[in-house]
Structure formats: structure tokens, C-alpha cells
Amino acid sequence: MKKVAVIMGSDSDFKVVSKAVSKLKEFEVPYEVHVMSAHRTPDKAAEFSKNAKKNGFGVIIAAAGMAAHLAGVLAAHTTLPVIGIPIKSAAFDGMDALLATVMMPTGIPVSTVAVDGAANAALLAIEMLALSDEILDKKLEAMKEEMALGVAKKDEDIKRKAEEL
């Protein structure tokens, strides 16, 4: 199975990014976690991305706040799918990172999840890997069925509460 690279621009992003790591662990998807900066270590980020495919990665998740150029820098140096997680910052509540992550030029696509949406970034990476991995696909189907059962239970519970009023 291919690995998922989870790259964050700063170690302070790990509080958010840990939700992606937890989800990858839950699905038993191999991963590596790194700190690289699009601005402070651009050569390291480019080198990692250029070699990601040959190093066994299938998807790259990039989390960054504020200017949030990390996902775009990584995407510029690979043909692997890159998923951006805009990280919420104090200055603009994550809107700066969201816009920076979403506004990629033609030819450098970056898939973007919600601000601080690390769990969904991992699930999207898992879905991408599941295109060629039947075991992962079955795990995703089971997760969706479990979610539907959870909603059905909540529906019954709320109906019961409404009747008791």
C-alpha cells in the first residue's frame, strides 16, 4: 500500500494535523509526518515532493496557515495528488490560509478541505488510495454504513424525546 505524506508548515499545526494522523492510523494506512516550510525550507519541500512518488507515497497532505503556500509548492514538484488543509490563524480566522490554498494556478491543482479539516483530508487521501485498494474501499464503505446507522439511531432518539414532551 502506498504511504500518505503529512506535511505541516510548523509544529504548532500538529494539534490540528493530529486528527489526520489518527484517521490514517484508524484505517491502517502507512504515513510519514514532517515539518517543512514553503518559505523557510523551500528546497527541502521541493526535494521531498520531487522524490515522493519514488519513495512510496501515493498522496500528500499539506497543512499551513496564514500565507499557506506549502500545498502549492509541494504540488508544483509532483504529479501526486496534494490535499491542502488551511490552518486557522488569529489574524483572519483561517480565511487567509483558505484563500491561499484554494487559489492555485492552472496546472497546479490542490484539493482543499475546510479550515482545520484534517480528518477529512485524511479521508480524502484514503479514498484516493482506495481506488486501487479493495480492502481500503471496504473499510470506507463500512464507515459510511456505521455513520448512517448512527444518524438513524439519533433520529429514533429525537422522535422519542419529542413524543415525551
Side-chain angles (χ1 to χ4, degrees):
M1 177 186 308
K2 300 232 182 234
K3 300 181 285 187
V4 174
V6 181
I7 313 296
M8 63 200 89
S10 169
D11 62 343
S12 64
D13 299 332
F14 189 69
K15 182 179 178 186
V16 170
V17 171
S18 65
K19 294 177 180 115
V21 173
S22 294
K23 197 57 74 175
L24 292 168
K25 278 186 167 188
E26 178 185 330
F27 279 81
E28 300 175 343
V29 172
Y31 63 89
E32 287 184 18
V33 178
H34 298 279
V35 174
M36 293 176 204
S37 171
H39 305 106
R40 294 180 190 98
T41 60
D43 293 339
K44 181 180 177 184
E47 190 66 26
F48 180 89
S49 190
K50 285 177 188 175
N51 294 304
K53 192 182 292 187
K54 80 174 182 186
N55 288 330
F57 293 96
V59 181
I60 298 172
I61 295 173
M66 300 186 321
H69 294 131
L70 183 59
V73 166
L74 295 170
H77 296 283
T78 188
T79 57
L80 291 176
V82 176
I83 302 166
I85 305 170
I87 301 292
K88 188 176 190 175
S89 63
F92 296 102
D93 212 31
M95 185 60 77
D96 49 350
L98 176 63
L99 293 175
T101 307
V102 182
M103 297 303 296
M104 291 295 109
T106 300
I108 310 297
V110 170
S111 174
T112 307
V113 295
V115 173
D116 291 351
N120 268 353
L123 287 169
L124 184 55
I126 293 164
E127 288 178 343
M128 290 172 178
L129 295 176
L131 291 170
S132 60
D133 188 315
E134 196 173 315
I135 294 170
L136 273 183
D137 189 52
K138 290 193 183 314
K139 287 180 180 181
L140 285 165
E141 287 176 6
M143 179 198 73
K144 298 252 178 158
E145 288 173 21
E146 190 174 312
M147 287 188 326
L149 290 172
V151 171
K153 183 182 180 327
K154 289 177 183 181
D155 181 51
E156 291 303 317
D157 291 347
I158 204 73
K159 287 177 187 173
R160 200 171 12 267
K161 285 181 184 178
E163 290 173 5
E164 294 172 0
L165 293 178

